[in-house]
Amino acid sequence: MNRGMVPELAPWMRQLLIGLFGLYAVELLAGNIGFSFAHFAWRPFGYGFAPYQVLTRFLVQGSEVFGVLISLLVLYFFLPAINRLYSRQQLIQCFVCAVAVGSVCGLLGDGVGLLVPAPAMGWSVLIMPLVVLFGLGMPNGVVQLFFVLPIRAI
């Protein structure tokens, strides 16, 4: 059923958005009662680095509410368009590759001293490949961002 300019989400997309929002809500609520997820953020070598942070940094957001909202909106508007081109399995493979490439680039950058001594965290390395897939797969495609702003891939 087409609902005009409102993207139609498959059930797994709705579950993904709700799950990500839920993770962020838990992170904020836990922060309010004194528990911090900051140790899961990637810290450079010599500033508190731990091997598990290579993967857990993608799960924590910090207190950056605007960044989380933008990430969720990008997912909301781009996932339905991308889902027409790629299967859910292919998108999961894209996310896994994005985590691997983001981690390797971060380790290399950290190894040569390119990272600042501040924690790195967030979903952006998982969100941006979707925008790239949209541009590559639908070069003439249009997404109605915020329901009124047409975004053309190229």
Side-chain angles (χ1 to χ4, degrees):
M1 176 175 90
N2 189 353
R3 296 177 290 171
M5 291 187 287
V6 177
E8 190 167 337
L9 297 175
W12 71 269
M13 292 178 200
R14 255 191 307 282
Q15 293 166 353
L16 175 67
L17 289 170
I18 292 168
L20 289 174
F21 180 78
L23 278 174
Y24 184 62
V26 166
E27 183 179 347
L28 286 180
L29 291 173
N32 285 336
I33 61 170
F35 182 79
S36 174
F37 286 91
H39 59 280
F40 289 117
W42 183 320
R43 299 194 181 276
F45 298 129
Y47 293 93
F49 176 80
Y52 64 85
Q53 294 170 347
V54 173
L55 295 176
T56 58
R57 78 173 188 130
F58 303 109
L59 301 175
V60 294
Q61 298 301 308
S63 60
E64 181 65 36
V65 176
F66 183 72
V68 170
L69 290 176
I70 292 297
S71 295
L72 290 173
L73 283 171
V74 167
L75 279 174
Y76 178 77
F77 286 105
F78 280 87
L79 264 180
I82 292 169
N83 195 43
R84 286 183 238 131
L85 294 173
Y86 306 101
S87 69
R88 181 171 33 167
Q89 185 64 29
Q90 289 171 316
L91 290 175
I92 290 171
Q93 290 171 349
C94 174
F95 286 139
V96 169
C97 286
V99 167
V101 169
S103 297
V104 167
C105 288
L107 284 171
L108 289 174
D110 199 7
V112 296
L114 291 178
L115 296 182
V116 297
M121 62 186 111
W123 300 329
S124 61
V125 80
L126 302 173
I127 304 299
M128 289 305 116
L130 294 178
V131 177
V132 171
L133 284 176
F134 174 73
L136 294 174
M138 302 175 74
N140 294 320
V142 175
V143 167
Q144 295 291 334
L145 196 59
F146 303 113
F147 309 107
V148 294
L149 184 65
I151 301 292
R152 187 168 300 282
I154 295 180

